[in-house]
Amino acid sequence: MTDTISSSAGAGPMPIPGHIDPVPVPRPGIVEGVTPREDGRVDLMGLPRKRIADLFESAGLDLKAAKLRAKQVYHWIYHRGVIEFEAMTDIAKTMRPWLAERFVIGRPEIVEAQHSSDGTRKWLLRTADAHDFEMVFIPDADRGTLCVSSQVGCTLNCRFCHTGTMRLVRNLTVGEIVGQVMLARDALGEWPKGRMDFAFGDGVDGAEAESDDEDGGYSADGRLLTNIVMMGMGEPLYNFDNVRDALKLVMDGDGLALSKRRITLSTSGVIPQMARCGEEIGVNLAVSLHAVTKDVRDEIVPINKKYGIEDLLQACADYPGASNARRITFEYVMLKDKNDSDEDARELVRLLKQFNLPAKVNLIPFNPWPGAQYECSTPERIKAFSDIVFKGGISAPVRTPRGRDIDAACGQLKTAAEKKSRAELERLYAEKEVALG
Ligand code: SAH
Ligand code: SF4
């Protein structure tokens, strides 16, 4: 039994290079992958069962108790959306304050919440160390989609994307990613309210069954939040481990319990991570193609200089789990006189067929932002483009822009909406390209 957070949890006394601490000083608030809090308590949000158990053990529980409590707490956090230990009715009353002194169950702080006239909602969120990022909820007749961020800013610089005009501040942690989904469920009031559907029966707590509905309320039927897209700020495959671990919690039957078929990860084409995405996460893939020639894609999606179109399409053809039933979505932003000709549309069909891809194409009308150097294609052009792709045998719906009145539309996520001059933007893009190598 120890009274510090042990190194098994990735922390413990911090070594100071070139200096030997005569008395190691425990720093209980520092746990790997968890943003430290000023009050020194450890945020459990984003941690899997095993790490919660390790933390409980390090805090003084014996192994068996730590495992049991971790299992209970995990269920309350991810399946029930509870943020107060006091509300965990199957945990002994005396144990709850002990937990609350040492741990918290955090949520990203809400800086601002906006509601669009079309029902779209946008939240400006803040991490514990004061970085802002955004999340959007888009309700439709048959589904509700949460657009989740993976990074604060982005290292890439797609020329039509507002997030691309930000520097990368940092990757979001697992807790900050899954915390977005939790927060959306809080806001939509969508946590199951029913009784616990398992009992631990350790004889101490006397599990108090709630009984406010018969089936435990675990069904997803009628929920507003049905789908998740990793299409907020950032490139999810550049924050692979955290995105994977967060989505695992989202998909876990004892966690948020959302099917992997309802989750889509969008990438600008980070080829080396794509196979891992299929193997280790198994969600649907969307690829930001946006152009069919090297020249144009090099310009508008500069990662193309590193990972070209043909290699990208080959990686898509190899994507584990892709099939006609689970097609890959190719996103294509419609930019006037840039990538929107009939010839582009025909080339798109040819390429997708050449690689024998189970594909659908999502045509996204460009959302302009202050300082952007492109315009959106005309509705007639978009229609003509869509028709050609459709006649080529590939579905090519046009995505309706949503939440434009609150700047929640695709690619507009940017917290500090300051306008940069053309020269400043060029400098930033040049720096990013150097960093990309
Ligand atoms: N970084 C990832 C996911 C986030 S962007 C990616 O690039 O795929 C989500 C989608 O919005 C991408 O397809 C992106 O290209 C598109 N997008 C970005 N800016 C846009 C804009 N101004 N108008 C329309 N779509 C945009
Ligand atoms: Fe980054 Fe995606 Fe925007 Fe490109 S489109 S700059 S990858 S967020």
Side-chain angles (χ1 to χ4, degrees), residues 238-312:
Y238 275 152
N239 185 15
F240 185 86
D241 290 0
N242 290 352
V243 167
R244 176 198 55 208
D245 293 351
L247 291 180
K248 290 226 148 119
L249 295 169
V250 171
M251 294 185 286
D252 182 4
D254 191 34
L256 285 134
L258 212 83
S259 155
K260 64 180 182 181
R261 297 184 187 278
R262 293 189 170 273
I263 304 174
T264 301
L265 183 147
S266 174
T267 178
S268 57
V270 184
I271 294 178
Q273 304 292 344
M274 282 170 54
R276 282 186 75 198
C277 175
E279 282 153 15
E280 296 177 34
I281 317 179
V283 292
N284 302 317
L285 186 69
V287 172
S288 294
L289 189 62
H290 303 316
V292 290
T293 63
K294 176 165 169 52
D295 277 0
V296 177
R297 196 161 191 270
D298 277 356
E299 176 190 326
I300 65 178
V301 187
I303 196 180
N304 194 63
K305 292 178 195 160
K306 194 163 179 180
Y307 307 120
I309 294 176
E310 310 256 310
D311 290 344
L312 176 58

Side-chain angles (χ1 to χ4, degrees), residues 68-82:
L68 170 67
R69 298 305 172 204
K71 188 172 180 196
Q72 292 171 308
V73 168
Y74 180 95
H75 182 85
W76 282 110
I77 296 180
Y78 299 111
H79 202 73
R80 305 288 295 249
V82 162

Side-chain angles (χ1 to χ4, degrees), residues 117-421:
S117 51
D118 69 9
T120 301
R121 297 168 73 161
K122 180 171 90 164
W123 290 266
L124 176 60
L125 305 176
R126 184 164 292 167
T127 63
D129 58 347
H131 297 303
D132 293 355
F133 60 103
E134 293 182 345
M135 163 178 100
V136 176
F137 177 68
I138 307 157
D140 274 308
D142 60 339
R143 65 174 65 187
T145 306
L146 188 70
C147 185
V148 171
S149 292
S150 55
Q151 300 182 306
V152 182
C154 188
T155 45
L156 300 173
N157 55 337
C158 305
R159 294 295 173 115
F160 51 84
C161 172
H162 209 187
T163 308
T165 68
M166 288 175 83
R167 286 195 164 75
L168 176 76
V169 178
R170 69 165 170 80
N171 283 334
L172 290 175
T173 62
V174 179
E176 289 155 356
I177 298 169
V178 72
Q180 294 172 63
V181 187
M182 315 279 289
L183 200 66
R185 275 212 176 156
D186 294 347
L188 300 167
E190 295 199 311
W191 290 107
K193 291 189 189 65
R195 61 183 168 76
M196 301 277 289
D197 59 353
F198 59 87
F200 292 99
D202 61 355
V204 182
D205 302 336
E208 296 162 26
E210 301 165 46
S211 56
D212 29 22
D213 62 16
E214 287 121 47
D215 64 357
Y218 292 122
S219 142
D221 296 349
R223 280 214 181 125
L224 289 169
L225 198 175
T226 59
N227 291 54
I228 290 178
V229 291
M230 295 302 303
M231 290 190 190
M233 291 168 73
E235 168 49 59
L237 294 189
Y238 275 152
N239 185 15
F240 185 86
D241 290 0
N242 290 352
V243 167
R244 176 198 55 208
D245 293 351
L247 291 180
K248 290 226 148 119
L249 295 169
V250 171
M251 294 185 286
D252 182 4
D254 191 34
L256 285 134
L258 212 83
S259 155
K260 64 180 182 181
R261 297 184 187 278
R262 293 189 170 273
I263 304 174
T264 301
L265 183 147
S266 174
T267 178
S268 57
V270 184
I271 294 178
Q273 304 292 344
M274 282 170 54
R276 282 186 75 198
C277 175
E279 282 153 15
E280 296 177 34
I281 317 179
V283 292
N284 302 317
L285 186 69
V287 172
S288 294
L289 189 62
H290 303 316
V292 290
T293 63
K294 176 165 169 52
D295 277 0
V296 177
R297 196 161 191 270
D298 277 356
E299 176 190 326
I300 65 178
V301 187
I303 196 180
N304 194 63
K305 292 178 195 160
K306 194 163 179 180
Y307 307 120
I309 294 176
E310 310 256 310
D311 290 344
L312 176 58
L313 294 178
Q314 188 55 52
C316 291
D318 298 339
Y319 187 69
S323 66
N324 271 326
R326 279 191 90 191
R327 288 173 294 169
I328 294 175
T329 303
F330 289 89
E331 296 162 281
Y332 200 97
V333 63
M334 298 302 295
L335 303 173
K336 187 173 184 184
D337 299 331
K338 181 52 72 182
N339 63 356
D340 64 350
S341 69
D342 287 355
E343 207 186 329
D344 289 319
R346 283 192 289 269
E347 177 62 4
L348 179 57
V349 172
R350 193 194 66 75
L351 279 171
L352 296 179
K353 290 206 160 146
Q354 180 193 333
F355 285 87
N356 204 13
L357 283 162
K360 53 189 169 191
V361 171
N362 220 333
L363 298 177
I364 317 174
F366 169 61
N367 283 305
W369 37 271
Q373 54 184 312
Y374 303 105
E375 280 176 63
C376 185
S377 312
T378 62
E380 298 73 37
R381 188 86 296 275
I382 298 178
K383 170 91 175 55
F385 194 101
S386 168
D387 286 349
I388 293 174
V389 179
F390 186 73
K391 283 194 190 112
I394 297 161
S395 105
V398 181
R399 194 191 286 172
T400 322
R402 299 290 302 271
R404 278 198 167 175
D405 54 338
I406 56 167
D407 277 359
C410 204
Q412 289 207 329
L413 300 188
K414 181 171 187 300
T415 50
E418 94 281 13
K419 189 175 164 183
K420 286 197 171 74
S421 70

